[in-house]
Amino acid sequence: NAGVMQNPRHLVRRRGQEARLRCSPMKGHSHVYWYRQLPEEGLKFMVYLQKENIIDESGMPKERFSAEFPKEGPSILRIQQVVRGDSAAYFCASSPPSRSEGEQYFGPGTRLTVT
Amino acid sequence: DQQVKQNSPSLSVQEGRISILNCDYTNSMFDYFLWYKKYPAEGPTFLISISSIKDKNEDGRFTVFLNKSAKHLSLHIVPSQPGDSAVYFCAASKWTGNQFYFGTGTSLTVIP
């Protein structure tokens, strides 16, 4: 059973470009979460999605950031007009539909560098 | 607003001894707590969890203790092994909530 997959693992963008980060959840998981880890900090929640629905985006910056989890295909975190402060590790996690499972399973992360 | 705090950025322990990692939280609504382990260039890996109805949960060499009145939890690793060297994150959530709140991590080094 493949784990959570994220690609690309490393992404370099110049200021003003767009960054697209992809996440494929574990088989059977319908819940996807995106977290951001800035240098020297813990993981910060950004958004929680189920198929075709954004459930909680309270941690996502209001501008330039968007996320989707279409019926088919991976979840996408999109950052428009990137700035240096967006440089971070972005982690995706997935969980099964049953909340009693508790834990979230994390992917290896995408390290975004904005030059 | 850091609702989950790990005040020790690093910890060194001799192989075979006990490692104790600590975590404090501020939100009394949290009722589910987890520890994750993270190696460089990898995502966090779930280690052990505890719900607020318990004060202890054990899994092999790993035990998590929860003190609700003090809003404190700790992870004990006995005996510590060099392969345990990693960054350990404490996380908390509300059972009805969607997100985990993570601490800033403690880097554990187990010295052979």
Side-chain angles (χ1 to χ4, degrees):
Chain A
N1 185 14
V4 178
M5 295 195 293
Q6 290 188 248
N7 68 80
R9 293 292 307 274
H10 300 274
L11 182 62
V12 179
R13 285 287 178 266
R14 290 200 187 97
R15 278 181 297 170
Q17 290 185 319
E18 179 180 285
R20 280 186 182 235
L21 289 65
R22 292 175 184 77
C23 169
S24 296
M26 283 179 72
K27 188 175 181 180
H29 287 193
S30 55
H31 299 201
V32 166
Y33 312 78
W34 284 95
Y35 290 83
R36 176 166 67 174
Q37 184 182 21
L38 296 169
E40 309 301 324
E41 294 188 14
L43 284 76
K44 293 275 199 294
F45 168 80
M46 298 181 75
V47 62
Y48 162 46
L49 309 105
Q50 294 177 18
K51 285 282 187 184
E52 299 184 281
N53 279 310
I54 296 174
I55 308 301
D56 180 355
E57 56 182 348
S58 58
M60 197 130 83
K62 295 287 186 283
E63 297 177 354
R64 302 188 298 107
F65 286 73
S66 63
E68 62 176 10
F69 189 16
K71 189 176 179 182
E72 301 290 337
S75 175
I76 307 275
L77 179 67
R78 183 180 174 209
I79 312 172
Q80 295 178 290
Q81 299 174 326
V82 296
V83 300
R84 288 229 171 95
D86 297 332
S87 294
Y90 292 82
F91 291 96
C92 165
S94 72
S95 69
S98 168
R99 185 66 175 93
S100 64
E101 292 289 330
E103 65 267 21
Q104 298 172 8
Y105 297 84
F106 282 82
T110 294
R111 272 141 191 89
L112 172 65
T113 302
V114 179
T115 61
Chain B
D1 177 26
Q2 191 71 26
Q3 298 189 53
V4 177
K5 298 176 185 177
Q6 293 176 258
N7 292 319
S8 298
S10 61
L11 175 68
S12 289
V13 170
Q14 265 327 108
E15 181 178 3
R17 298 287 190 101
I18 183 171
S19 295
I20 300 177
L21 294 92
N22 293 302
C23 178
D24 297 293
Y25 61 96
T26 57
N27 192 334
S28 56
M29 297 294 289
F30 289 149
D31 51 13
Y32 190 67
F33 305 89
L34 310 92
W35 285 94
Y36 279 83
K37 177 178 176 178
K38 186 181 180 303
Y39 293 115
E42 294 184 13
T45 303
F46 170 74
L47 203 54
I48 192 169
S49 63
I50 188 168
S51 74
S52 59
I53 61 173
K54 294 185 175 182
D55 54 20
K56 176 183 174 182
N57 188 25
E58 194 171 349
D59 183 2
R61 295 185 298 114
F62 302 91
T63 303
V64 56
F65 295 92
L66 175 63
N67 182 335
K68 287 190 295 290
S69 60
K71 294 194 181 68
H72 177 83
L73 65 156
S74 60
L75 175 68
H76 292 209
I77 307 173
V78 181
S80 301
Q81 299 173 355
D84 296 330
S85 297
V87 177
Y88 289 78
F89 289 97
C90 166
S93 76
K94 306 167 200 173
W95 193 253
T96 55
N98 306 312
Q99 58 174 288
F100 288 173
Y101 296 82
F102 281 83
T104 51
T106 296
S107 177
L108 173 66
T109 302
V110 179
I111 303 162

